[in-house]
Amino acid sequence: MPTSRDPASAKTVEGPAAAVADVPAGASIAVGGFGLSGNPETAIQALRDLGVGDLTVVSNNCGVDDFGLGILLANRQVRKMVSSYVGENKIFEQQFLSGELEVELVPQGTLAERLRAGGAGIPAFYTPAGVGTPIADGKETREIDGREYLLEHGITTDFAIVRAWKGDTAGNLVYRKTARNFNPLVATAGRITIAEVEELVPVGELDPDHVHTPGIYVQRIFRSPGLEKRIERRTVREVAA
Amino acid sequence: MSTPTTLTPRQRIIARAALEIQSDTYVNLGIGLPTLLADVATDRANVLLQSENGLLGIGPYPTEDALDADLINAGKETVTAVPGASFFDSAESFAMIRGGHIDLAILGGMEVSQTGDLANWTIPGKMIKGMGGAMDLVQGAKRTIVIMEHVTRAGEPRIKRECDLPLTGKGVVDRLVTDLAVFDIDRDGLVLVEALGGTPIDEIRAKTGAPFEVTRAALGSAVA
């Protein structure tokens, strides 16, 4: 049974607006999700409503024009994006090609590892991804056992925003299927990590063996007021007759 | 092998590339053209398809009533998971890729050089999509096969002495399958191992922007 002293209840916040209320202009924010899957949808909408600008956003993709992180671009709140793939977003392309938006393209595995490393206290690591390409420009390289590697730096951010399937009031998180993607890594990289969950349960309900993100990484948690869970590419097969 | 010439170039590429997927392997298919190989691959014995967003064991597209926004492939298409599949985060996914655990990556290409350089992620000033997981895949997969149409829409060779577009990786392509030919690429350069659909060697030479050797088998597969 839970004791009357619940050390973690201080983490629960009422909703997305309260969760992001102190994000200042110029903040760096890591955001979980792959495409529109596993996006902290309502937290992103709350950031849009908050209106703070000059943001640096670290996220594998940048949503689509009218959903996900795309709405922050459309509202001109983003100064710099750090991503691996942005091919789904016309506003992104326009703002980048016109020089309005600064972009750091990072190979996907390198981006994942940079977030993991940042959250794990590893300042930098060597990887073969990007050797001999424009990504290597200006980076330290080193030959190890006859093969060339690039030095890539860990990423930490002021805030991190993730979405999980279930969370408890201690901040423990469980993700569902491929909606996990970057979320566990992003959760470790933020100095303040905000979790939007589909289901918020009392401490003790999650099996500790099934927790993907231990609550130590999560400072604020709220039950999502409602997810659209938009599907980016709806592909189906016919049922065999 | 002879491929019916009634197929479109893309169909011809897919039909030939399908032969490259061996039983009992872990395979990553890039987005776009390679994704069309998914059905063939899942029909082959013990092939598990890896999707870099965090799924080992991609299944067929779902039926309408099984659509799930939380279950997509790297091309953001809704998919299913086969029995024996697993889900994991993006760092784990690329540990698999970078760590040499993926047997085969099949990727699309825009340009390939005679030494196996690949360009497939950006056209400066015109198109910015990003490299996604391609730069990690070409370095980490045990074998990398690129599939692409032999020439551009304007009829220019995509196979060149040096790539003009920014690279995805240097010396990373092991085999190249186009609608006209199959090449192996090693230290010494391009080797034509197969002319598809009986394409004459002279035609392949005319449409290829780099010199290549021709194997005996390739000579046999071409129309004289």
Side-chain angles (χ1 to χ4, degrees):
Chain A
M1 287 299 292
T3 61
S4 58
R5 181 184 156 277
D6 184 347
S9 61
K11 290 184 179 180
T12 53
V13 293
E14 202 169 312
V20 303
D22 62 346
V23 174
S28 59
I29 311 177
V31 183
F34 182 95
L36 298 181
S37 190
N39 274 230
E41 295 176 17
T42 73
I44 293 168
Q45 284 154 9
L47 272 178
R48 193 262 323 269
D49 295 343
L50 189 66
V52 287
D54 207 21
L55 301 174
T56 294
V57 177
V58 181
S59 182
N60 188 56
N61 314 95
C62 199
V64 295
D65 287 342
D66 66 337
F67 199 71
L69 289 169
I71 64 175
L72 299 185
L73 280 183
N75 205 29
R76 299 197 140 65
Q77 290 173 259
V78 184
R79 181 182 66 80
K80 180 180 178 184
M81 273 303 305
V82 181
S83 301
S84 87
Y85 189 85
V86 293
E88 323 291 349
N89 196 307
K90 283 196 184 59
I91 295 177
F92 187 105
E93 200 164 34
Q94 285 160 11
Q95 290 188 5
F96 172 69
L97 293 175
S98 72
E100 191 179 334
L101 178 69
E102 188 186 335
V103 177
E104 181 182 346
L105 284 172
V106 182
Q108 195 176 144
T110 300
L111 183 60
E113 193 65 13
R114 287 179 66 189
L115 289 161
R116 197 198 68 80
I122 305 289
F125 57 91
Y126 287 102
T127 177
V131 167
T133 78
I135 298 305
D137 291 349
K139 284 184 186 146
E140 188 182 324
T141 61
R142 180 165 167 180
E143 196 178 300
I144 301 172
D145 293 336
R147 192 170 174 193
E148 196 178 336
Y149 297 90
L150 297 184
L151 187 72
E152 293 281 3
H153 289 255
I155 295 175
T156 56
T157 54
D158 300 327
F159 291 85
I161 308 179
V162 300
R163 192 189 93 205
W165 177 35
K166 290 180 181 176
D168 68 18
T169 51
N172 295 303
L173 303 177
V174 178
Y175 307 94
R176 186 172 173 273
K177 300 187 178 179
T178 58
R180 190 183 321 181
N181 55 63
F182 277 78
N183 281 300
L185 317 165
V186 162
T188 67
R191 281 178 279 281
I192 295 175
T193 291
I194 299 164
E196 168 169 1
V197 298
E198 294 178 54
E199 211 176 309
L200 184 61
V201 301
V203 161
E205 272 202 21
L206 297 178
D207 182 341
D209 259 339
H210 294 169
V211 169
H212 295 131
T213 292
I216 192 169
Y217 296 111
V218 176
Q219 281 68 48
R220 298 172 192 168
I221 189 165
F222 67 93
R223 190 176 73 81
S224 182
L227 294 168
E228 178 184 331
K229 284 197 168 188
R230 190 186 291 189
I231 289 173
E232 207 163 332
R233 292 182 201 277
R234 188 186 191 86
T235 43
V236 294
R237 72 185 136 105
E238 301 299 319
V239 187
Chain B
M1 87 155 235
S2 67
T3 310
T5 46
T6 49
L7 297 177
T8 66
R10 284 163 67 93
Q11 286 170 331
R12 225 192 284 188
I13 293 168
I14 292 303
R16 179 57 188 80
L19 304 178
E20 299 292 331
I21 299 172
Q22 312 282 328
S23 300
D24 304 304
T25 54
Y26 296 103
V27 178
N28 182 295
L29 301 175
I31 62 174
L33 195 54
T35 303
L36 301 177
L37 287 161
D39 287 344
V40 181
T42 43
D43 285 347
R44 204 137 299 170
N46 280 324
V47 170
L48 277 192
L49 291 180
Q50 203 251 17
S51 189
E52 59 262 33
N53 55 317
L55 165 58
L56 187 60
I58 307 174
Y61 292 138
T63 53
E64 189 76 31
D65 58 347
L67 271 174
D68 187 343
D70 291 342
L71 184 45
I72 63 170
N73 65 15
K76 285 106 181 177
E77 299 173 331
T78 45
V79 292
T80 54
V82 297
S86 53
F87 299 119
F88 34 84
D89 68 52
S90 302
E92 178 85 50
S93 179
F94 282 91
M96 265 170 223
I97 289 169
R98 227 188 282 103
H101 305 280
I102 301 291
D103 297 297
L104 171 65
I106 302 182
L107 302 175
M110 298 196 294
E111 290 179 353
V112 170
S113 82
Q114 61 181 356
T115 53
D117 299 351
L118 169 67
N120 74 351
W121 65 281
T122 187
I123 304 173
K126 277 191 189 157
M127 183 272 274
I128 172 178
K129 285 190 187 299
M131 67 294 288
M135 287 188 181
D136 309 89
L137 275 162
V138 295
Q139 296 292 343
K142 286 182 195 158
R143 181 169 167 78
T144 298
I145 296 177
V146 167
I147 61 176
M148 65 180 187
E149 291 182 46
H150 204 94
V151 295
T152 65
R153 254 176 240 169
E156 298 296 318
R158 291 177 187 273
I159 306 165
K160 303 179 168 185
R161 288 173 187 270
E162 301 261 349
C163 294
D164 292 314
L165 295 171
L167 295 186
T168 306
K170 216 171 165 52
V172 292
V173 182
D174 297 300
R175 175 165 274 200
L176 172 62
V177 177
T178 76
D179 46 314
L180 303 181
V182 180
F183 293 97
D184 278 343
I185 305 175
D186 60 22
R187 213 170 270 279
D188 301 323
L190 285 168
V191 181
L192 179 74
V193 293
E194 221 173 291
L196 296 183
T199 309
I201 307 272
D202 284 349
E203 182 185 339
I204 297 172
R205 283 205 196 280
K207 292 178 173 173
T208 304
F212 55 82
E213 301 289 314
V214 182
T215 64
R216 202 174 287 266
L219 279 175
S221 67
V223 171

